[in-house]
Amino acid sequence: MLMVDVVIADNQLLTREGISAVLAPFKDIHVLGYASTADRLDQMIRQSEPRVVIIDHDFDSDFGIEDIKNINARFNFTNVLVLSNNPNRGTIIELIEHGIKNHITKYCQKDELIEAVYATAKGLEYFCEDISKILFGDKQALLTADNMPPLSSRETEIIHLIAKGLTNKDIADKLYLSVHTIKTHRKNIIKKLGFTFKNAAELVMLVGYLNEFFI
């Protein structure tokens, strides 16, 4: 059984205790303690080496986006689950681009919090329904079991490679194809899905949906 040690970083007492209460029935999840400042959080991570840090991020929070990035960059044994009161799409994507792919809101369901903690502990990405709606909007409705576009195995493979940050040339070299062929596949993917992506971060999010149907 995977034991999940958790540190909760939030400056609101009721939020900290509320999260603890939701997690309490799960014997394999152990809340090590709380941090209300960035300095205290840094100290707790170094001392306790938690598998998961649940960290509040908001404009009036004691934990800024740079604190979250620093934690993710400095402690490879800890996975970050971001908790937002007023999530901002730009901030979510910025965090994704820095490798932080676990994000929920304070309005999410209890089951989503539990799922998010387990996914984060395993190094898997997780976005609650509210975050998914912010990121995708109506796009999410396109990606259901009933109306998933008929992507080929090659197109799906290319989407995964783009999501990893590979360029057209990188992908062409890896798949032993021409750059022109890769560009053609990308155009076909965009046409089939019915929308474009501004950057690789959005494709990272799409991969989570594609995995459900193609992996």
Side-chain angles (χ1 to χ4, degrees), residues 10 16 19 49 57 62 78 111-112 119 122 127 131 142 150 182:
D10 192 297
R16 298 197 302 262
I19 294 172
E49 298 189 359
H57 168 64
D62 289 320
T78 293
D111 289 347
E112 290 182 298
K122 295 176 182 177
F127 301 102
I131 296 296
L142 297 173
I182 300 303

Side-chain angles (χ1 to χ4, degrees), residues 10-193:
D10 192 297
N11 60 3
Q12 297 176 322
L13 174 64
L14 293 181
T15 297
R16 298 197 302 262
E17 293 189 349
I19 294 172
S20 294
V22 173
L23 300 179
F26 298 86
K27 302 305 180 184
D28 54 345
I29 299 177
H30 179 213
V31 176
L32 298 175
Y34 314 104
S36 57
T37 66
D39 288 343
R40 175 56 179 159
L41 176 59
D42 182 85
Q43 181 183 29
M44 291 189 68
I45 293 175
R46 286 187 283 104
Q47 291 178 345
S48 305
E49 298 189 359
R51 185 176 292 270
V52 174
V53 169
I54 302 176
I55 184 167
D56 177 25
H57 168 64
D58 209 343
F59 296 111
D60 60 351
S61 172
D62 289 320
F63 305 99
I65 189 169
E66 293 303 321
D67 295 316
I68 297 173
K69 292 178 186 177
N70 288 337
I71 291 170
N72 191 61
R74 292 172 55 208
F75 303 108
N76 57 13
F77 51 79
T78 293
N79 297 314
V80 176
L81 172 59
V82 179
L83 177 67
S84 291
N85 187 40
N86 296 301
N88 174 276
R89 189 175 189 276
T91 297
I92 297 168
I93 291 178
E94 182 178 353
L95 289 171
I96 291 171
E97 291 174 339
H98 283 81
I100 303 165
K101 306 173 186 176
N102 302 76
H103 208 132
I104 61 175
T105 74
K106 291 187 177 182
Y107 308 102
C108 74
Q109 301 297 312
K110 291 182 180 179
D111 289 347
E112 290 182 298
L113 171 60
I114 300 301
E115 291 172 1
V117 169
Y118 282 126
T120 304
K122 295 176 182 177
L124 304 175
E125 66 183 54
Y126 187 93
F127 301 102
C128 71
E129 184 177 351
D130 289 338
I131 296 296
S132 295
K133 287 180 179 178
I134 292 171
L135 292 170
F136 287 103
D138 293 337
K139 298 174 186 178
Q140 186 179 359
L142 297 173
L143 305 176
T144 66
D146 294 331
N147 60 10
M148 172 62 71
L151 297 174
S152 68
S153 58
R154 177 66 81 189
E155 289 167 343
T156 304
E157 183 178 20
I158 289 172
I159 287 177
H160 280 74
L161 294 175
I162 296 171
K164 292 180 180 179
L166 274 66
T167 65
N168 287 340
K169 187 179 185 306
D170 293 335
I171 297 172
D173 292 342
K174 184 177 182 64
L175 300 180
Y176 302 102
L177 298 171
S178 69
V179 173
H180 174 75
T181 299
I182 300 303
K183 289 182 178 179
T184 300
H185 278 303
R186 291 185 68 147
K187 290 179 181 178
N188 290 336
I189 291 168
I190 291 171
K191 183 177 180 180
K192 286 183 177 181
L193 293 178

